[in-house]
């Protein structure tokens, strides 16, 4: 496939994933998911084509390169999301993901109990210990809506160092993602995981080759890897890309990130078992097994092809690491979302998050590889 055709396919994929998000949100709030998605996809497709495929004047560049402007916009939206989130705390059936970050953090830091001595209502807790503790300063005070906000600002800051205008475009195109905004309002964290993967990959490529920086990034990689059990595969894939770039640095990062993740999981697994509790992060593996026969068959059929493509195509740059990670995440997680839809047949189904949350990795590739190559 030629580079132009591939670029169009990637942009189309981004628009289609955004349309899936709009179906879910429109259906949840108004019951017109398909119509809303079609209108949104047409408008977004036109906007993305204009933003990505046309030259822009000085005024455009001035707005999109303004760090103060985009940080202010993201924080303003975050404050509004947090206000909404606080208004939902009294609702009994609010989203379980937020509770899965808040309840265990309070159990550990306020009461000295095992993280997994509590549950998120009737739902097992999916996040791992490192990830829960990372965001505990927010979650124990019900500031959970700011988690995706800070993750976006962190990724934006890393991208800003590379290209101010494209970083502004990234912020804008994240803020028009319907499910990302919904995650903010509900205190969810899946998009935050992908945003942290974006920042990690770019930091690994840009950071000075020193033991000090490498240790910090290895520990950060381990914390992100602990966000969900399968995330250790994603950080390891980024580490494999780094290994192809520099074998010594890649080996050290892989050892540190995998080791950190395993220490987090091992310590809290033993604590949970000692207290007679179940290590709840393992439940995500069972959730994947419930995706349904056809979606699992689709995933298993696509996986060898995707892995072979990654093996052959993943190079020494962070952009290829991110595209490879996006493809693997879609292959592994999208069938879970599809299977849950086939089971419920509801357009506002929770499993849609598993289909669209890798979008930040694709968006970064489009903006910082596809668009940059075109401009060159």
């Amino acid at each position: 496939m030629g580079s132009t055709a591939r670029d169009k396919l990637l942009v189309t994929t981004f628009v289609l994933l955004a349309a899936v998000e709009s179906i879910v949100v429109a259906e949840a709030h108004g019951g017109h998911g398909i119509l809303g998605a079609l209108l949104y996809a047409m408008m977004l497709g036109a906007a993305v084509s204009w933003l990505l495929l046309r030259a822009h004047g000085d005024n455009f560049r001035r707005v999109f390169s303004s760090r103060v402007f985009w940080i202010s916009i993201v924080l303003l939206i975050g404050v509004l999301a947090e206000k909404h989130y606080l208004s939902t705390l009294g609702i009994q059936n609010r989203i379980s993901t937020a509770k899965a970050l808040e309840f265990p953090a309070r159990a550990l830091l306020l009461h000295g109990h095992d993280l997994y001595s509590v549950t998120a209502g009737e739902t097992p807790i999916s996040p791992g210990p490192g990830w829960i503790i990372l965001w505990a300063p927010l979650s124990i005070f019900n500031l959970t809506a700011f988690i995706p906000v800070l993750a976006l600002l962190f990724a934006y800051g890393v991208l800003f160092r590379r290209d101010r205008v494209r970083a502004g475009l990234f912020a804008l195109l994240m803020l028009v993602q319907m499910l990302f905004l919904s995650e903010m309002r509900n205190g969810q964290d899946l998009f935050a995981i992908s945003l942290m993967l974006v920042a990690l990959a770019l930091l690994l490529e840009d950071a000075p080759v020193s033991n000090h920086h490498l240790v910090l990034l290895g520990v950060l990689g381990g914390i992100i890897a602990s966000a969900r059990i399968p995330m250790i595969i994603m950080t390891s894939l980024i580490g494999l890309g780094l290994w192809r770039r520099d074998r010594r640095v890649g080996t050290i990062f892989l050892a540190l990130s995998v080791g950190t993740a395993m220490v987090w999981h091992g310590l809290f697994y033993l604590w949970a078992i000692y207290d007679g509790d179940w290590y709840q992060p393992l439940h995500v593996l069972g959730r994947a097994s419930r995706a349904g026969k056809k979606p699992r068959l689709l995933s298993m059929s696509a996986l060898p092809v995707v892995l072979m493509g990654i093996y052959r195509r993943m190079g020494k740059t962070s952009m290829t690491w991110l595209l490879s990670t996006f493809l693997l995440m879609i292959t592994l997680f999208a069938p879970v979302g599809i299977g849950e839809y086939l089971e419920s047949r509801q357009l506002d189904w929770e499993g849609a998050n598993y289909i669209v949350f890798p979008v930040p990795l694709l968006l970064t590739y489009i903006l910082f590889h596809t668009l940059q190559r075109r401009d060159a």
Side-chain angles (χ1 to χ4, degrees), residues 139-150:
S139 60
I140 60 175
F141 299 111
N142 290 321
L143 298 174
T144 319
F146 279 109
I147 291 176
V149 174
L150 293 186

Side-chain angles (χ1 to χ4, degrees), residues 214-279:
L214 200 53
V215 168
L216 290 177
L217 291 175
V219 171
L220 175 62
I223 292 172
I224 298 170
S226 76
R228 301 292 190 276
I229 291 288
M231 285 304 125
I232 197 168
I233 301 173
M234 309 311 155
T235 54
S236 297
L237 182 58
I238 292 174
L240 178 60
L242 181 63
W243 182 84
R244 287 189 168 185
R245 180 185 180 92
D246 186 315
R247 292 196 174 189
R248 185 190 73 86
V249 173
T251 300
I252 294 173
F253 171 77
L254 282 168
L256 286 169
S257 60
V258 173
T260 300
M262 296 306 293
V263 167
W264 279 118
H265 283 300
L267 288 175
F268 284 91
Y269 173 83
L270 292 174
W271 191 353
I273 296 302
Y274 179 80
D275 285 352
D277 298 320
W278 173 43
Y279 192 65

Side-chain angles (χ1 to χ4, degrees), residues 21 24-25 28-29 81-82 84-85 88 93-102 123 126-127 131 135 138-139 142-152 174 177-196 227-228 287 340 348-354 356-357:
E21 297 182 42
V24 176
V25 176
H29 291 89
E82 177 63 25
H84 169 81
Y85 177 70
T88 67
N93 62 342
R94 66 188 176 98
I95 299 295
S96 62
T97 309
K99 293 184 284 188
L101 294 166
E102 296 166 357
T123 306
S126 300
W131 187 252
W135 299 111
L138 296 175
S139 60
N142 290 321
L143 298 174
T144 319
F146 279 109
I147 291 176
V149 174
L150 293 186
L152 174 56
M174 281 302 305
Q177 300 297 303
M178 292 268 190
L179 270 181
F180 178 64
L181 295 176
S182 178
E183 279 209 356
M184 281 191 192
R185 288 160 55 90
N186 292 317
Q188 296 172 276
D189 69 328
L190 281 177
F191 273 93
I193 298 172
S194 294
L195 288 165
M196 295 295 283
R228 301 292 190 276
R287 183 169 186 172
E340 292 187 2
D348 58 338
W349 84 108
E350 183 182 356
N353 289 286
Y354 288 100
V356 300
F357 86 98

Side-chain angles (χ1 to χ4, degrees), residues 297-326:
L297 181 61
L298 176 64
S299 177
M300 295 307 296
S301 300
L303 187 59
V305 178
V306 171
L307 291 176
M308 180 59 68
I310 290 173
Y311 175 77
R312 294 182 60 186
R313 296 283 185 174
M314 187 171 70
K316 300 179 180 180
T317 67
S318 59
M319 293 301 108
T320 63
W321 310 342
L322 290 175
L323 182 61
S324 298
T325 307
F326 167 79

Side-chain angles (χ1 to χ4, degrees), residues 28-67:
H29 291 89
H32 301 289
I34 298 296
L35 177 61
L38 289 174
L39 293 173
Y40 184 75
M42 286 189 291
M43 290 188 294
L44 184 63
V48 169
S49 298
W50 184 81
L51 287 170
L52 300 184
L53 304 178
R54 294 191 56 181
H56 309 292
D58 292 338
N59 290 333
F60 174 90
R61 298 187 65 84
R62 190 176 299 114
V63 170
F64 278 88
S65 64
S66 173
R67 177 165 47 188

Side-chain angles (χ1 to χ4, degrees), residues 64-78:
F64 278 88
S65 64
S66 173
R67 177 165 47 188
V68 173
F69 176 78
W70 288 109
I71 291 176
S72 300
I73 290 294
V74 173
L75 287 176
L76 175 60
I77 293 175

